[in-house]
Amino acid sequence: MLITHDTRCALDTVVDLVNSAPEEDAADGLPDLRALEEFVRNHQISDVGVLSEFDLSAVRRIRGRFASVFAAPDARSAATLINELVAAAGTTPRLTDHDGYDWHVHYFAPGASVADHLAADCGMALAFFVVAGEQERLRRCEAPDCRRAFVDLSRNRSRRYCDSRTCGNRLHVAAYRARRKEATG
C-alpha cells in the first residue's frame, strides 16, 4: 500500500488526536484552546485561522468519532463511520503544493473549520485503508493497561503495541520474569 507524505501526516494527526482523549489514568490532551493551538502547530495543520472555543468543542466531538473508527469491528462499520465524518465535513478535493511540499490533495474546503479540516483529511487517510482492504491495520494497543490507537504499517501486519519500546518491551520483560520465576520456583 502506497502511503504518500500527506496521507502519513494525516494518519499521524488522527492517531495523536484519538490518543489525546481523556482516559482513566490520563487527562484530556486537549484541555483548552491553548492545547488545541499547540496541536495544530505541532501537526503543521495548514489553512487554519483563529481558533475559538467552538473549534475546541468541535474537535473533541470528531475525536470521539475517530476513536470509533479504530474500534470498528469490521470494514463496513469503519466505512460507515468514515463516510459520516467526511460527508459532514463537506469535502472539496483540491490539488495544492504549499509550504515546499510537492503536489498533493487536500480534501477540506477552503476556509473550513479545523474540525472539518481534520474530519476531511484524516477521514480520507483512514478511508484509503478500508478501500485497500487494510482496515485491520487501524488498531488499539494490546497491552492490558494501554488502549492507545496506532496504525500498523509493518509489512506483515504484526504490530501489536502502540510503542514496542514501552508497552511491548514492558510486557516482554514481564513474561520473561514470569517464566524465570516459574522455572526457579
Side-chain angles (χ1 to χ4, degrees):
M1 179 173 176
L2 175 67
I3 299 175
T4 61
H5 171 77
D6 52 314
T7 300
R8 180 59 193 256
C9 289
L11 291 172
D12 291 344
T13 300
V14 73
V15 164
D16 287 349
L17 180 62
V18 169
N19 289 336
S20 74
E23 295 183 16
E24 290 177 20
D25 60 341
D28 192 331
L30 294 175
D32 54 31
L33 191 54
R34 188 168 152 242
L36 178 60
E37 290 166 346
E38 186 174 329
F39 183 88
V40 166
R41 187 173 43 259
N42 289 343
H43 289 87
Q44 299 177 341
I45 300 170
S46 61
D47 295 332
V48 175
V50 176
L51 299 173
S52 68
E53 290 293 329
F54 176 82
D55 292 311
L56 178 61
S57 177
V59 168
R60 286 177 177 161
R61 273 193 308 278
I62 66 159
R63 173 177 67 184
R65 300 190 66 202
F66 276 125
S68 297
V69 173
F70 280 85
D74 54 49
R76 183 165 306 284
S77 301
T80 299
L81 294 164
I82 293 167
N83 283 339
E84 290 169 359
L85 273 161
V86 171
T91 58
T92 307
R94 62 189 165 94
L95 288 167
T96 183
D97 65 344
H98 64 87
D99 298 330
Y101 294 108
D102 206 358
W103 289 106
H104 59 282
V105 179
H106 279 189
Y107 295 94
F108 58 93
S113 70
V114 66
D116 285 346
H117 178 134
L118 292 170
D121 271 6
C122 295
M124 289 305 298
L126 296 177
F128 297 143
F129 280 81
V130 175
V131 168
E134 302 283 353
Q135 181 261 335
E136 75 275 2
R137 290 181 181 267
L138 310 177
R139 297 192 173 154
R140 291 289 191 156
C141 184
E142 291 183 10
D145 59 341
C146 180
R147 296 300 301 149
R148 292 177 58 85
F150 67 94
V151 178
D152 178 5
L153 297 177
S154 66
R155 283 183 185 219
N156 61 356
R157 299 175 195 89
S158 62
R159 187 171 163 197
R160 299 290 177 244
Y161 307 109
C162 64
D163 187 338
S164 61
R165 285 174 271 155
T166 55
C167 290
N169 192 42
R170 187 170 27 86
L171 288 175
H172 290 115
V173 168
Y176 170 79
R177 288 181 179 158
R179 286 191 305 273
R180 297 265 307 175
K181 184 177 181 180
E182 186 177 302
T184 59

